[in-house]
Amino acid sequence: MLIFFQKDDYVGVSVPTPSGYVFGYEPLASYDRVHHYMLYGCEKPYDESGFWKGQGKCGEGKAYILYVWARNAPDYELPEGVRMSIGNKGDDIKYLVLSIHYGMPLAGNTKDYTGVKIYMTTQPPPMLAAVYALASSDDLPPKLDRYYSNMSCVYNSSTPIHPFAFRPHTHVLGRIVSGYFLHGNEWTAIGKRNPLWPQIFEPINRNLTIQKGDVIAASCHFTTKERTEKTYNGMGSGDEMCNYYIIFWWDASLPKPEVAGQVCWDSNTDAMSKYPVDGWKPMPPNVEFDDLVHYNKEPFGVSQEAFYSEIDGFKLGQVVGLAFCPNGHLLIFRRPANAMGPSAFDSNNVLTNKTTISEAVILEINFNAHTPKITKRLGENKFYLPHGIYMDSEGYIYTTDIGSHTIAKWSVYGNSISQVWEAGVELQPGPGKDEFCKPTAVTRVKDSVFVTDGYCNNRVVELDASTGQWKSSFGSLGDSHDQFNLPHDIISTAKGNLQVADRNNGRVHEIRIDGQHLAVLEADQYKKIYSMDPSSKHIFVAPDKTDQYDENPLFIFVARTSQALTEYAFGPEHKKKFGIPHVIRVSKDDEDVYIGDVGLEGLWKFKVRFFEKKV
């Protein structure tokens, strides 16, 4: 989705409910981008179109709160044997509606793909679960060190309920939120928490039972001493809220409690006058939680910093490869404009123009200066059609040349390079053990060099890093989990595994260095990809157009590594578009993104504004 948000904007999304029983929720969200969201089960959605702007949630009929996320809360899994019924007879839930609150607009040309992954089973459980919410509509007077907003309702159902988790919610003025229930004259704590911490559903490690006639109560302690005017109760990030959510279970053989999915807005003054004092006592400090949760005062997004068609007066041409040096500089692997056209190879994949490029094809760029500077120009008269490049921690450069069908290791001496070894038969493509056919990319892990032998052989080849001798290979043409259809890029991860961009299959493989398949990342947003690069928590994917007639602008898609689902995307600003985003690399600090564009013949630089900290 692409929405140009204003401050405190809301978006609603609905989908028909599958039939089953929910046992877990995995949020795909960040507090840098999203203030909070709520998942509802509805008989009818607010808008039949399935997508709308505004605070609308459910339409006519029953509405149930299923899940709430805020402040970088982690995944949530229900206890064993406890499930939430959706899409089944009698639960009145025919649609799932996700209502997302964006506190600020997104910077740059950034798309957001916030959502939630729902884990379900078709097996009916012995215990069913639901959410009961208590909410206050109080406005907050200014200049008070303490203000208490209270809520309480009598439980009138005959079916006993058993709270097993709770979750507080305020905005920035809340200091403590607690919940209790009153049975006879005895108060029993449900739980309390600092609402400025990650707003998780905190487990209750006690067996609790609420029966008919009991009073369920909650209270929020606010501090408004820094406010000079009344703070209104409302949905905006500058407003305040006081909510307390309880997840409870009941015996699935008994009638559904009336409070399932409902909200208590009342406050029994007499009951609250006896509310336990401990419910208002502050929680002890938690440095870890305080550090994990932050809300940026500036919008999150990925902003275009520059597009370079030349640096220091040197025309970049087709930027096909990128790599970082140990000193933090960027290596650009380039070829002159129009170096590769439709007649570059004959029908046997043999290069037609067997003349090396006379210009420097490797540029070392210092982007730390106010204006980028070329610090080295390397590789004159040594390459035919450059493609992939990598520099190891010792300063050796590894390159692939699709024109000569070779891989080479180079040592750098001042402004020149010297070949250490070359693998493959120069200008002779082939499928053999000592041959390559248009190899696309290269990386190093420990004592091995790994090459995507891409355009013809559809395999990954392992070479000895010291000698260039063949060690092993894996992969073949196809679309199964251990096959490729043009492996176009390869990188090594922090864990020592490999990631391979499977271009025409539109996916990223994560593979152990022995060739064992670990995982695959693919998404509905793209069908082909050129390149990818992982940051500390995400993977950045540069897609290819679906076909030559596709006029839709390309975006870079960013997925959280642990989930392999698209989280956000970004593209050029000011009505500009990517041409062919051939290679992407992300700086070590996760802030700078460089994209080599073969179509526009240059280099893009983007800045990631504010990364989140997550539980």
Side-chain angles (χ1 to χ4, degrees):
M1 68 182 75
L2 177 57
I3 308 291
F4 295 97
F5 298 108
Q6 59 189 12
K7 187 175 181 180
D8 287 322
D9 211 355
Y10 281 78
V11 170
V13 183
S14 71
V15 294
T17 304
S19 177
Y21 300 91
V22 176
F23 62 86
Y25 298 97
E26 185 176 1
L28 188 69
S30 164
Y31 199 43
D32 272 334
R33 304 192 313 278
V34 174
H35 185 272
H36 77 277
Y37 66 60
M38 298 183 70
L39 180 68
Y40 291 84
C42 307
E43 275 197 270
K44 289 186 178 181
Y46 173 79
D47 191 312
E48 296 290 345
S49 70
F51 182 86
W52 60 90
K53 292 185 69 174
Q55 297 181 23
K57 300 167 182 72
C58 296
E60 296 178 353
K62 297 289 183 66
Y64 300 91
I65 298 170
L66 299 178
Y67 176 71
V68 187
W69 176 92
R71 292 184 175 269
N72 290 339
D75 307 347
Y76 182 70
E77 184 175 354
L78 276 70
E80 185 66 31
V82 178
R83 304 288 184 260
M84 288 183 169
S85 176
I86 63 172
N88 300 303
K89 184 178 180 180
D91 62 31
D92 302 316
I93 297 176
K94 297 180 180 179
Y95 290 87
L96 296 175
V97 171
L98 189 66
S99 178
I100 307 170
H101 175 195
Y102 291 89
M104 292 187 181
L106 301 176
N109 186 7
T110 305
K111 291 182 176 185
D112 182 61
Y113 288 87
T114 286
V116 58
K117 189 174 183 179
I118 302 172
Y119 292 88
M120 298 177 60
T121 178
T122 57
Q123 183 67 35
M127 295 165 283
L128 290 172
V131 175
Y132 180 50
L134 294 93
S136 169
S137 58
D138 289 356
D139 298 327
L140 308 183
K143 299 182 179 180
L144 293 178
D145 186 56
R146 294 181 181 87
Y147 181 84
Y148 300 104
S149 189
N150 302 320
M151 309 146 286
S152 61
C153 287
V154 177
Y155 179 68
N156 288 317
S157 294
S158 59
T159 299
I161 60 174
H162 309 275
F164 61 85
F166 71 95
R167 177 190 178 277
H169 178 69
T170 68
H171 294 172
V172 298
L173 301 180
R175 294 298 178 264
I176 194 74
V177 181
S178 62
Y180 286 77
F181 69 91
L182 176 64
H183 178 75
N185 294 317
E186 182 180 355
W187 287 94
T188 300
I190 297 172
K192 69 176 182 178
R193 188 174 174 87
N194 183 340
L196 300 182
W197 293 346
Q199 293 184 1
I200 65 173
F201 280 102
E202 184 164 323
I204 300 169
N205 298 317
R206 293 162 289 123
N207 295 321
L208 302 180
T209 301
I210 297 176
Q211 303 177 56
K212 185 174 182 178
D214 291 349
V215 176
I216 305 174
S219 181
C220 299
H221 167 200
F222 293 100
T223 296
T224 64
K225 58 185 178 182
E226 302 297 328
R227 296 284 175 101
T228 58
E229 297 180 355
K230 179 192 296 184
T231 300
Y232 290 96
N233 181 280
M235 305 288 281
S237 55
D239 300 327
E240 264 302 341
M241 300 179 74
C242 171
N243 296 343
Y244 189 81
Y245 301 93
I246 301 170
I247 304 186
F248 61 88
W249 66 265
W250 74 94
D251 188 325
S253 66
L254 299 178
K256 181 168 67 175
E258 293 179 2
V259 297
Q262 301 305 305
V263 181
C264 165
W265 291 97
D266 297 336
S267 179
N268 184 310
T269 304
D270 183 58
M272 293 306 298
S273 67
K274 302 171 185 176
Y275 194 78
V277 176
D278 189 64
W280 293 314
K281 289 182 179 179
M283 302 288 291
N286 188 310
V287 177
E288 180 184 7
F289 282 172
D290 291 339
D291 186 53
L292 284 167
V293 176
H294 67 289
Y295 190 62
N296 292 310
K297 296 181 180 180
E298 299 296 330
F300 172 88
V302 184
S303 301
Q304 176 189 326
E305 286 208 333
F307 175 77
Y308 302 98
S309 59
E310 62 178 55
I311 295 177
D312 277 354
F314 190 97
K315 290 189 178 297
L316 298 183
Q318 298 178 350
V319 178
V320 290
L322 297 171
F324 288 106
C325 306
N327 63 6
H329 292 179
L330 182 71
L331 285 184
I332 292 178
F333 206 25
R334 58 167 296 277
R335 52 198 186 212
N338 303 315
M340 183 175 176
S343 60
F345 296 90
D346 66 17
S347 59
N348 295 314
N349 292 308
V350 175
L351 188 67
T352 55
N353 180 5
K354 299 178 177 60
T355 304
T356 56
I357 298 170
S358 60
E359 303 174 11
V361 297
I362 301 174
L363 305 177
E364 182 179 322
I365 312 294
N366 179 7
F367 277 95
N368 296 325
H370 180 70
T371 303
K373 297 292 183 182
I374 298 177
T375 58
K376 290 182 181 179
R377 306 183 187 197
L378 309 168
E380 298 92 337
N381 300 305
K382 296 184 184 298
F383 296 91
Y384 296 89
L385 279 178
H387 203 279
I389 191 168
Y390 177 77
M391 177 177 269
D392 66 19
S393 60
E394 300 170 0
Y396 289 104
I397 294 175
Y398 304 82
T399 59
T400 70
D401 190 326
I402 61 172
S404 65
H405 310 285
T406 58
I407 294 89
K409 178 179 180 178
W410 309 87
S411 57
V412 182
Y413 298 97
N415 288 310
S416 64
I417 56 174
S418 176
Q419 190 177 98
V420 178
W421 52 254
E422 183 178 64
V425 181
E426 186 171 341
L427 297 173
Q428 180 180 312
K433 189 160 66 171
D434 296 320
E435 296 175 309
F436 295 90
C437 185
K438 299 180 181 175
T440 51
V442 59
T443 191
R444 178 176 176 176
V445 180
K446 298 180 180 178
D447 296 327
S448 293
V449 170
F450 293 88
V451 181
T452 42
D453 191 11
Y455 280 93
C456 322
N457 293 328
N458 293 287
R459 63 184 178 180
V460 174
V461 177
E462 180 184 8
L463 304 175
D464 185 280
S466 298
T467 65
Q469 294 298 306
W470 184 92
K471 295 175 72 174
S472 69
S473 68
F474 52 86
S476 60
L477 177 62
D479 58 8
S480 69
H481 72 275
D482 57 351
Q483 292 181 307
F484 308 108
N485 189 348
L486 208 174
H488 195 262
D489 193 11
I490 188 168
I491 58 93
S492 51
T493 71
K495 295 181 179 179
N497 297 320
L498 303 172
Q499 286 185 346
V500 177
D502 189 356
R503 178 171 161 180
N504 290 337
N505 282 329
R507 60 192 183 182
V508 176
H509 299 262
E510 181 150 1
I511 306 168
R512 284 194 349 189
I513 58 174
D514 61 2
Q516 181 178 332
H517 176 268
L518 295 174
V520 65
L521 182 152
E522 51 191 338
D524 294 336
Q525 291 83 21
Y526 48 83
K527 301 301 179 185
K528 296 182 178 181
I529 62 173
Y530 278 112
S531 178
M532 80 278 120
D533 198 34
S535 67
S536 60
K537 298 175 184 175
H538 296 84
I539 180 170
F540 290 67
V541 177
D544 185 8
K545 287 184 177 291
T546 304
D547 56 58
Q548 60 180 328
Y549 305 107
D550 185 0
E551 296 296 328
N552 293 315
L554 292 170
F555 281 78
I556 303 301
F557 294 95
V558 185
R560 189 173 295 167
T561 307
S562 61
Q563 295 171 313
L565 294 172
T566 300
E567 192 164 342
Y568 61 92
F570 64 91
E573 300 173 49
H574 315 301
K575 298 183 179 180
K576 295 182 179 179
K577 297 180 181 181
F578 289 122
I580 300 175
H582 193 264
V583 60
I584 184 169
R585 293 295 182 261
V586 183
S587 63
K588 192 174 182 180
D589 61 9
D590 296 343
E591 292 188 2
D592 296 316
V593 182
Y594 299 91
I595 299 164
D597 196 318
V598 170
L600 298 184
E601 298 181 352
L603 177 74
W604 297 92
K605 185 184 180 189
F606 291 84
K607 177 72 73 173
V608 181
R609 309 289 181 184
F610 309 112
F611 272 77
E612 85 282 4
K613 297 176 181 178
K614 187 175 184 294
V615 176

